Amino acid sequence: MKLSVSSLVLALLFSFLLETSASTDENFIQCLALHSGNDSISKLIYTSSNSSYSSILKSSIRNTRFSTPSTPKPQVIVTPLLVSQIQETLNCSQKHGLQVRVRSGGHDYEGLSYASPVPFVILDLINFRNISVDVENNFAWVQSGATLGELYYWIANKSRTLGFPAGVCPTIGVGGHFSGGGYGTLLRKYGLAADNVIDAHLIDVKGRFLDRKSMGEDLFWAIRGGGGASFGVIVEWKIQLVPVPSNVTVFTVNKNLEQNATKILHRWQYVADKFDTDLFIRVILSAVSSSQKGNRTVQASFNSLYLGGKDKLLPLMQKSFPELGLVSEDCTEMSWIQSILYFAGFPSGLSPDILLNRDPSITYFKAKSDYVKNPIPEVGLEGIWQRLLEKEAAAALLILSPYGGRMNEISESSIPFPHRAGNIYKIQHLVYWTEEGTAASEKYMSWIRRLYDYMAPYVSKSPREAYINYRDLDIGTNNISNTSYSQASIWGTKYFKNNFERLVQVKTVVDPANFFRNEQSIPPVSY
């Protein structure tokens, strides 16, 4: 059978691209071997011909949407053990035209740390996970490849009365979490993870190893909330540990629509950001089975941490939020580290050793985020209920996290995280599914997009704000080969508001060629 001219051209082009790709891979690997001065680095390099390539690639992929045959794969995965090997990887990538995606091993909502439309290398920091806790001086050094679970475990291993204000999911990677802000149950008392970073070690585009003093305050400002992968490879963070009581109190009170959930949640919006800063009550909204057989209802789960005993919590709740009807039997006192297990959803009685398990849960999901500045009226909440009762929302969640307290006190320009005073709570919209295939993914993503459109009148405006750690490519993407300020500002102002221009200025100075980039990276601009 004869090939058409166009088919022959395509076949030749494909063959050329494969040969070019293979040649680039080989040249890159040879460059690493040459600069390392020995062959030890070869044990840290994985290509598609290596039997461990697939397992290394999938080791921290949590979203199955980005673990398919059509997902772009890296030419090479490098898992360095030494800072010098990170420097060599950056140097050789630039020499041979390969983009670098830095992965710290946690929850990447849009797969931007392990997929790219152009030839790329994954710099996987799985081996950079050392944690050193100094109880006497209340700080710790934690490497970017560690998980929050590992960090919490080692803090608690040293002290029952020290903690750190970061996220509730123990399999989150420290590197991405800190660099995007990072929040959890302690944010009303102590702010964000990034608010409590006091030093960092970073390798810049020139391969220089920098600390806070040598990188300068502008760059140190940018990496705490501005998305650290836009500015270099952050190897390690120095964090300020915070005091926590030897015993805290937790509770979860569930209310469905038949139990007055609408009015209780409506009231929560008026008081949650004004509670004593020792009290954090988030709300998780989902559809559940109704007591009426065959029916579904919406449940609001009021999920709380109080930094103290229930003897003080109960009168505080009676005064501030009596509508919930909290009673002593709802409350459980435990250590701070046990509260970490509680919020992560582990059964009671488990050892904190479970936090050292790095294996993430894997499923299909899509997420979005919003900030709420004024309480949503009851009629608006009822519209949310209608959408949660649709069949595509069987495994959907809305997580409402209250602000106020310390978040109101820190200036929105103190670090690039701008969502401070004026926000009463943040919403994370999530939908999960298990069905395979593009049609299924489109069905569920269409549902969450409709929900997001419905929410528009009730959330922040001009810009409609979003949380950078909940990456959302629906907001906007850069043309990766020709990024412009005007293009990037479409989504950049939603993530960073007035901080975006300063971030661009820092990016222009530290990475003028835009080597550290992805679909939502911050572009450099000549002024």
Side-chain angles (χ1 to χ4, degrees), residues 250-408:
V250 300
F251 68 78
T252 300
V253 174
N254 299 319
K255 299 289 184 181
N256 61 34
L257 298 185
E258 294 73 37
Q259 296 167 320
N260 220 19
T262 304
K263 289 192 178 298
I264 296 172
L265 179 60
H266 185 252
R267 178 59 183 163
W268 173 89
Q269 296 180 99
Y270 285 89
V271 297
D273 65 318
K274 300 175 182 66
F275 288 141
D276 186 291
T277 56
D278 287 338
L279 180 59
F280 171 91
I281 305 177
R282 68 174 182 172
V283 186
I284 302 172
L285 305 175
S286 62
V288 298
S289 297
S290 171
S291 57
Q292 300 176 3
K293 189 174 181 180
N295 290 339
R296 302 274 286 170
T297 187
V298 172
Q299 178 175 277
S301 297
F302 294 83
N303 186 212
S304 176
L305 172 72
Y306 176 65
L307 298 176
K310 63 181 179 180
D311 58 327
K312 293 184 178 179
L313 171 61
L314 290 169
L316 176 62
M317 286 292 291
Q318 184 58 39
K319 177 182 177 181
S320 303
F321 193 25
E323 294 83 358
L324 188 61
L326 186 73
V327 295
S328 179
E329 291 73 20
D330 297 323
C331 303
T332 305
E333 294 184 353
M334 58 181 61
S335 66
W336 173 76
I337 194 63
Q338 287 295 334
S339 79
I340 295 294
L341 301 183
Y342 178 85
F343 273 86
F346 292 114
S348 61
L350 281 185
S351 166
D353 291 356
I354 193 70
L355 296 174
L356 301 178
N357 180 3
R358 295 178 62 95
D359 296 333
S361 58
I362 301 172
T363 187
Y364 294 94
F365 72 91
K366 173 67 179 177
K368 291 179 172 292
S369 60
D370 268 313
Y371 288 86
V372 179
K373 298 180 183 298
N374 297 293
I376 299 173
E378 288 187 29
V379 65
L381 296 177
E382 289 165 356
I384 297 174
W385 309 158
Q386 293 174 20
R387 286 152 180 82
L388 281 173
L389 291 171
E390 293 174 1
K391 61 181 179 179
E392 295 90 346
L397 298 173
L398 272 69
I399 305 175
L400 284 52
S401 297
Y403 271 42
R406 183 69 179 135
M407 294 299 289
N408 282 352

Side-chain angles (χ1 to χ4, degrees), residues 135-208:
V135 172
E136 184 178 347
N137 295 296
N138 295 346
F139 71 79
W141 278 100
V142 53
Q143 291 187 320
S144 286
T147 63
L148 293 183
E150 291 169 334
L151 174 60
Y152 295 150
Y153 174 87
W154 287 110
I155 292 172
N157 186 260
K158 297 286 187 178
S159 172
R160 188 183 174 98
T161 56
L162 286 174
F164 188 70
V168 300
C169 296
T171 52
I172 293 174
V174 160
H177 188 66
F178 289 6
S179 67
Y183 76 96
T185 59
L186 297 178
L187 90 162
R188 302 191 64 252
K189 181 75 171 182
Y190 297 114
L192 307 170
D195 292 324
N196 293 276
V197 169
I198 51 180
D199 203 344
H201 291 158
L202 173 143
I203 301 170
D204 72 359
V205 70
K206 296 178 181 179
R208 297 177 299 181

Side-chain angles (χ1 to χ4, degrees), residues 112-130:
L112 300 184
S113 63
Y114 51 82
S116 174
V118 299
F120 72 106
V121 171
I122 289 180
L123 184 59
D124 194 321
L125 299 180
I126 182 65
N127 295 319
F128 278 78
R129 46 201 278 208
N130 288 340

Side-chain angles (χ1 to χ4, degrees), residues 180-181 192 195 221 224-226 371 373 403 407 410-423 463 465-468 492-500 503:
L192 307 170
D195 292 324
W221 171 86
R224 292 173 295 148
Y371 288 86
K373 298 180 183 298
Y403 271 42
M407 294 299 289
I410 301 173
S411 165
E412 70 172 38
S413 61
S414 65
I415 63 172
F417 188 91
H419 316 294
R420 303 288 188 174
N423 293 298
E465 300 171 32
Y467 177 36
I468 186 173
T493 53
K494 296 179 182 182
Y495 283 141
F496 305 116
K497 294 202 304 185
N498 297 330
N499 290 324
F500 181 62
L503 282 167

Side-chain angles (χ1 to χ4, degrees), residues 56 59-60 77-83 85-86 89 100-105 113 122-130 143-147 150 174-176 201 203 232-237 358:
I56 294 293
S59 62
S60 65
I77 303 171
V78 183
T79 57
L81 290 166
L82 306 171
V83 166
Q85 293 165 345
I86 297 176
T89 301
V100 168
R101 292 291 168 103
V102 182
R103 184 164 77 168
S104 65
S113 63
I122 289 180
L123 184 59
D124 194 321
L125 299 180
I126 182 65
N127 295 319
F128 278 78
R129 46 201 278 208
N130 288 340
Q143 291 187 320
S144 286
T147 63
E150 291 169 334
V174 160
H201 291 158
I203 301 170
V233 179
I234 305 168
V235 175
E236 191 170 26
W237 307 81
R358 295 178 62 95

